[in-house]
């Protein structure tokens, strides 16, 4: 069996944080589809930590991207697996790896990656790639990302949907009711 051809990407930033190092770059959406995987809790109760994929949510992401109006600038968080052979060239500020299935474990962004796979349009996606993480480190990073972020309160979303011109009639009515209670507490 022949060794897969390595591919490289330039304009990579190396970031060191404590004992960890990660790289910031963009990758083609189709390459993410070919090289990324998750270990769902339902599939492997001993090693899995990802939630079950919500295909409806992934289809909504694909439709959003294909509409031509959608951008999702938040980075997909990946962990390079040993078989990827990830190598960083500090002189060229480039990263290379073997584009094989299961090169990267998705720590955050599985619905976006699956949505990108379903989208008709291909594009470059911001990614953060960690190198040298143990399974313990991967799961801890997953916990940190999913427990320390705080969602936007519903009443704030109602307010900003008006500004974004996304507001539906029932949302406008709810926003007006909230505003009335704020202005007239009695």
């Amino acid at each position: 069996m022949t060794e897969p051809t390595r591919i490289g990407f330039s304009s990579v930033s190396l970031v060191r944080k404590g004992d960890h190092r990660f790289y910031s770059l963009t990758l083609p959406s189709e390459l993410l589809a070919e090289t990324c995987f998750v270990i769902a809790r339902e599939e492997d109760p001993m090693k899995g930590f990802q939630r079950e994929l919500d295909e409806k949510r992934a289809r909504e992401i694909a439709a959003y991207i294909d509409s031509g109006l959608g951008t999702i600038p938040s980075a997909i968080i990946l962990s390079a697996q040993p078989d990827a052979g990830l190598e960083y060239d500090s002189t060229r500020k480039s990263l290379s790896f073997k584009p094989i299935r299961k090169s990267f474990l998705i720590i955050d962004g599985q619905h976006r990656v699956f949505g990108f796979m379903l989208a008709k349009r291909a594009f470059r996606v911001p990614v953060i790639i960690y190198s040298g993480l143990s399974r313990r480190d991967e799961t801890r990073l997953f916990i940190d990302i999913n427990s320390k972020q705080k969602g936007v309160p519903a009443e704030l979303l109602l307010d900003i949907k008006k500004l974004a011109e996304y507001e539906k009639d029932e949302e406008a009515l709810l926003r007006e009711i909230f505003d009335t209670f704020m202005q007239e507490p009695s």
Side-chain angles (χ1 to χ4, degrees), residues 150-168 171-172 174-175 178-179:
K150 187 174 181 182
V152 176
E155 60 273 12
L156 178 57
L157 281 176
L158 286 174
D159 284 345
I160 61 177
K161 279 186 173 184
K162 178 184 179 198
L163 294 172
E165 298 177 5
Y166 278 160
E167 188 174 56
K168 296 176 183 158
E171 292 169 330
L174 287 172
R175 184 182 42 76
F178 282 133
D179 289 347

Side-chain angles (χ1 to χ4, degrees), residues 99-127:
I100 58 175
R101 187 80 190 121
K102 297 191 174 186
S103 288
F104 303 107
L105 174 68
I106 300 172
I107 294 176
D108 186 56
Q110 74 164 331
H111 289 93
R112 285 174 280 156
V113 170
F114 194 72
F116 300 156
M117 287 171 51
L118 297 174
K120 294 176 183 80
R121 303 175 123 199
F123 53 96
R124 295 188 73 85
V125 177
V127 296

Side-chain angles (χ1 to χ4, degrees), residues 53-79:
L53 180 72
D54 180 346
E55 290 187 37
K56 179 179 181 272
R57 185 169 167 210
R59 283 193 301 275
E60 289 170 352
I61 291 169
Y64 177 69
I65 295 299
D66 286 338
S67 73
L69 303 173
T71 62
I72 304 175
S74 55
I76 304 296
I77 311 298
L78 305 172
S79 176

Side-chain angles (χ1 to χ4, degrees), residues 3-184:
E3 184 77 13
T5 304
R6 297 181 67 77
I7 58 173
F9 295 89
S10 56
S11 301
V12 175
S13 296
L14 167 63
V15 180
R16 295 176 197 267
K17 190 82 169 165
D19 293 337
H20 299 293
R21 55 192 283 162
F22 59 87
Y23 307 93
S24 177
L25 66 152
T26 62
L27 293 177
S29 56
E30 61 273 16
L31 182 63
L32 286 174
E34 296 166 8
T35 59
C36 293
F37 74 104
V38 297
I39 303 174
R41 188 81 177 142
E42 292 79 23
E43 294 170 19
D44 189 337
M46 297 304 288
K47 295 181 183 174
F49 59 88
Q50 281 282 4
R51 66 192 116 196
E52 190 173 343
L53 180 72
D54 180 346
E55 290 187 37
K56 179 179 181 272
R57 185 169 167 210
R59 283 193 301 275
E60 289 170 352
I61 291 169
Y64 177 69
I65 295 299
D66 286 338
S67 73
L69 303 173
T71 62
I72 304 175
S74 55
I76 304 296
I77 311 298
L78 305 172
S79 176
Q81 301 301 292
D83 289 346
L86 192 72
E87 290 180 6
Y88 178 67
D89 181 333
S90 60
T91 306
R92 293 191 171 113
K93 295 196 180 308
S94 66
L95 197 66
S96 65
F97 58 89
K98 299 174 204 166
I100 58 175
R101 187 80 190 121
K102 297 191 174 186
S103 288
F104 303 107
L105 174 68
I106 300 172
I107 294 176
D108 186 56
Q110 74 164 331
H111 289 93
R112 285 174 280 156
V113 170
F114 194 72
F116 300 156
M117 287 171 51
L118 297 174
K120 294 176 183 80
R121 303 175 123 199
F123 53 96
R124 295 188 73 85
V125 177
V127 296
I128 298 294
I129 301 175
Y130 279 83
S131 176
L133 294 182
S134 67
R135 186 53 41 101
R136 183 192 79 171
D137 293 334
E138 291 168 343
T139 56
R140 286 181 174 182
L141 185 56
F142 176 85
I143 289 168
D144 288 348
I145 290 168
N146 287 285
S147 66
K148 304 221 184 297
Q149 294 179 3
K150 187 174 181 182
V152 176
E155 60 273 12
L156 178 57
L157 281 176
L158 286 174
D159 284 345
I160 61 177
K161 279 186 173 184
K162 178 184 179 198
L163 294 172
E165 298 177 5
Y166 278 160
E167 188 174 56
K168 296 176 183 158
D169 291 341
E170 62 271 8
E171 292 169 330
L173 178 61
L174 287 172
R175 184 182 42 76
E176 289 172 17
I177 292 170
F178 282 133
D179 289 347
T180 301
F181 279 117
M182 290 295 289
Q183 294 166 359
E184 301 175 31

